Amino acid sequence: MNTDFDVIVIGAGPAGYTAAERAGARGRRVLLIEKDQPGGLCLNAGCIPSKTLLFSAKLYAQMQQGARYGVHAADLRFQLAEVIARKERLVQQLRDGVLYLMHRRSVTVVSGEAELLDRQTVRVQSTDYRAPALILAAGSSHVRPDIPGIDLPHVLNTTQMLDMTTMPTGLVILGSDGIGMGFATSFGLAGVPVTVIEAGPEILPALDAELAALLRKEMPYVTFITAAQVERIT
């Protein structure tokens, strides 16, 4: 394979694959490097899978109220393993779509971890690639707060949450940003006892406090503890 390119992009998330696609569309020779899955956090462990889970939970909650409207469902169950399997199918379809887009623009995709050797050279699995332009779109990583007990096996990050196939008997969520509230809504509607702990005086700190308070009242299936710091996990 040719190892000389016009542009090398490190990271195949929304920023990286879009940059690669645009450069390829303009006739540039482009190499896109990704150590995990194409699509980045949003596609693989963020917006797409979390909204898939939320849709199933909302449908389950609506069907529980179906008798009010003359709609009766026998043996209604929320099967998390089946929800996650559907999520995986949808995510894989979108991954394939990203790869097809790269193929359409003649972008070369390499799987592996990139090592920068100099301003124009990148090494992936003992192969060196060169380009006068490098785009770093390496994305983000999970932050683990310095709380005693944070490394216990039952403490999960958001990516691990989206891979669970067994319903938890209870769930405590540390933080009430959009991600935390999304999980609180999904599992709360599915019947799991959920508690949200927030250090600030109100949930969703980035939102207007009056709107956040209204939203909290619309979620009676979740227990909220505000103005509280987590000191230890056991």
Side-chain angles (χ1 to χ4, degrees):
M1 183 181 69
N2 181 28
T3 57
D4 291 326
F5 295 87
D6 298 317
V7 182
I8 295 177
V9 182
I10 300 176
Y17 77 71
T18 301
E21 188 275 335
R22 289 290 81 204
R26 286 161 173 76
R28 302 298 191 270
R29 294 169 298 162
V30 183
L31 174 67
L32 177 62
I33 304 169
E34 172 57 51
K35 69 176 182 178
D36 194 1
Q37 297 285 359
L41 177 65
C42 180
L43 194 160
N44 292 285
C47 309
I48 303 300
S50 63
K51 298 308 181 291
T52 303
L53 176 63
L54 180 60
F55 179 86
S56 294
K58 290 173 68 176
L59 182 60
Y60 173 72
Q62 288 170 350
M63 292 182 68
Q64 286 181 310
Q65 305 297 322
R68 294 183 181 180
Y69 309 99
V71 179
H72 299 269
D75 194 26
L76 184 62
R77 292 172 294 161
F78 186 90
Q79 296 283 40
L80 183 60
E82 296 177 19
V83 173
I84 297 302
R86 176 176 177 269
K87 179 265 295 185
E88 284 297 322
R89 291 193 300 270
L90 294 174
V91 167
Q92 188 58 54
Q93 288 176 9
L94 294 174
R95 289 173 185 158
D96 293 342
V98 172
L99 294 177
Y100 171 75
L101 186 61
M102 297 302 99
H103 173 74
R104 182 183 174 194
R105 297 303 191 189
S106 299
V107 174
T108 300
V109 180
V110 170
S111 179
E113 188 162 354
E115 177 187 359
L116 292 176
L117 301 184
D118 57 44
R119 293 178 65 88
Q120 295 186 339
T121 310
V122 178
R123 177 171 294 169
V124 183
Q125 297 179 352
S126 74
T127 300
D128 293 348
Y129 303 93
R130 293 182 59 81
L134 304 180
I135 297 177
L136 305 182
S140 60
S141 59
H142 291 286
V143 173
R144 296 185 73 82
D146 187 19
I147 300 174
I150 196 72
D151 293 320
L152 289 170
H154 62 282
V155 181
L156 308 178
N157 61 36
T158 56
T159 301
Q160 293 167 328
M161 287 283 293
L162 289 166
D163 288 333
M164 286 197 308
T165 56
T166 302
M167 289 288 281
T169 56
L171 185 62
V172 175
I173 298 176
L174 308 187
S176 67
D177 61 0
I179 297 173
M181 293 298 290
F183 281 115
T185 303
S186 297
F187 283 94
L189 289 176
V192 176
V194 176
T195 299
V196 173
I197 301 176
E198 168 58 44
E202 185 54 89
I203 65 170
L204 290 165
L207 192 65
D208 182 278
E210 184 178 357
L211 295 177
L214 289 173
L215 176 61
R216 179 166 42 81
K217 292 177 181 178
E218 291 294 318
M219 300 175 65
Y221 46 85
V222 175
T223 300
F224 292 100
I225 301 175
T226 57
Q229 293 283 350
V230 176
E231 299 177 353
R232 181 178 298 274
I233 302 171
T234 62

